Amino acid sequence: FLEEINFKPDYIFMDIEGSEIDVIEQLSKVSLHLSNSPTLIFEHHQHNYSSSKDLTYIRNKLEELGYITRKVYGNIIAFKVRT
């Protein structure tokens, strides 16, 4: 939908009870690899993750895409350093 309306967010906040893995995987295919990728902030729900796709999986995936991740209480903040 965002591509259809040519909207490129600077920030994406997610509180979707464990579905953040699916969203991050989808976003990684279309926009998270770009240099102007949005900052992500999301609650993580470890109890909703599978053993193969857990918080470590999410953080590794984001770091492979050039993101820096920080855990702040029950949230993850992921951002790219812009030069």
Side-chain angles (χ1 to χ4, degrees):
F1 172 74
L2 296 179
E3 286 181 18
E4 290 175 17
I5 63 170
N6 197 29
F7 179 76
K8 301 198 182 342
D10 293 322
Y11 303 94
I12 297 175
F13 180 84
M14 294 180 275
D15 181 9
I16 47 180
E17 309 304 317
S19 295
E20 49 276 358
I21 291 175
D22 296 329
V23 172
I24 289 169
E25 287 178 331
Q26 290 174 9
L27 285 172
S28 70
K29 294 176 185 173
V30 295
S31 66
L32 297 185
H33 62 284
L34 303 173
S35 61
N36 62 340
S37 298
T39 296
L40 305 175
I41 304 163
F42 58 94
E43 287 188 341
H44 65 86
H45 300 279
Q46 189 67 36
H47 58 280
N48 290 337
Y49 302 154
S50 71
S51 60
S52 63
K53 292 187 177 180
D54 57 7
L55 184 56
T56 300
Y57 170 82
I58 293 173
R59 292 181 83 172
N60 288 340
K61 180 128 188 103
L62 290 168
E63 289 169 6
E64 288 171 6
L65 293 164
Y67 276 83
I68 296 169
T69 63
R70 297 291 183 261
K71 187 174 180 181
V72 180
Y73 300 104
N75 299 301
I76 298 294
I77 299 172
F79 59 94
K80 285 190 176 180
V81 176
R82 303 212 192 319
T83 57

